Amino acid sequence: MINVNAYQQYQYNSIMSASPERLVLMLFEGAIRFVKLARKAIEEKDIAGANENLTKAQDIIAELNQSLDMSYDISENLAGIYDFLYRRLVDANIKKDAEFLDVVESMLKELKDTWEQAYVNSKKNS
């Protein structure tokens, strides 16, 4: 980690020391941020920027899907949601159409809020 600035070191330490629950929240936050950046890039006709940010959001959704523990009933439902979100992101990327991002961003925010509430509740019960 030579020549890493202080902010990058802080980010690295935040990730490495985060609980699994906090990491999931960070993934949702990142996906939402990349969707917003992609929307802006599409509106500005920045094809490369849109592709880059949509690809990052797709990678995050794929990671969330891969991390599911399928021994829980809810995981099957989440897998379906993640598949839907991933396909909408691909459609937005192929067509460079920000309308696909409306539902994606809304659903990501709802999932993040739900996960955050569950995380807070689990901390209270610990």
Side-chain angles (χ1 to χ4, degrees):
M1 290 235 230
I2 299 172
N3 296 327
V4 176
N5 69 35
Y7 180 71
Q8 288 172 322
Q9 186 64 46
Y10 171 78
Q11 283 185 311
Y12 176 80
N13 289 340
S14 295
I15 293 168
M16 295 309 292
S17 63
S19 68
E21 297 85 1
R22 179 68 188 125
L23 287 172
V24 172
L25 280 173
M26 292 168 82
L27 286 170
F28 281 123
E29 290 164 356
I32 292 165
R33 184 177 73 247
F34 292 127
V35 166
K36 287 179 179 182
L37 290 169
R39 178 189 310 282
K40 184 176 186 239
I42 290 170
E43 289 168 356
E44 294 174 353
K45 306 289 190 233
D46 176 6
I47 304 303
N51 179 62
E52 179 182 343
N53 288 297
L54 287 167
T55 300
K56 287 179 181 181
Q58 289 167 353
D59 290 345
I60 290 172
I61 298 302
E63 181 63 32
L64 286 166
N65 194 36
Q66 290 292 331
S67 69
L68 290 173
D69 180 348
M70 298 309 284
S71 64
Y72 296 99
D73 292 337
I74 194 164
S75 295
E76 197 170 312
N77 294 334
L78 285 170
I81 292 169
Y82 294 155
D83 180 59
F84 173 80
L85 292 172
Y86 188 89
R87 286 185 284 120
R88 291 292 75 88
L89 289 167
V90 169
D91 289 341
N93 205 357
I94 291 169
K95 298 176 182 174
K96 299 300 184 262
D97 186 345
E99 283 189 32
F100 287 103
L101 301 179
D102 294 340
V103 69
V104 171
E105 186 175 353
S106 174
M107 289 177 73
L108 284 171
K109 286 179 179 178
E110 191 172 325
L111 287 165
K112 178 194 161 283
D113 291 346
T114 301
W115 186 261
E116 195 166 36
Q117 189 59 47
Y119 177 60
V120 167
N121 288 344
S122 74
K123 287 292 188 189
K124 286 180 185 175
N125 296 332
S126 297

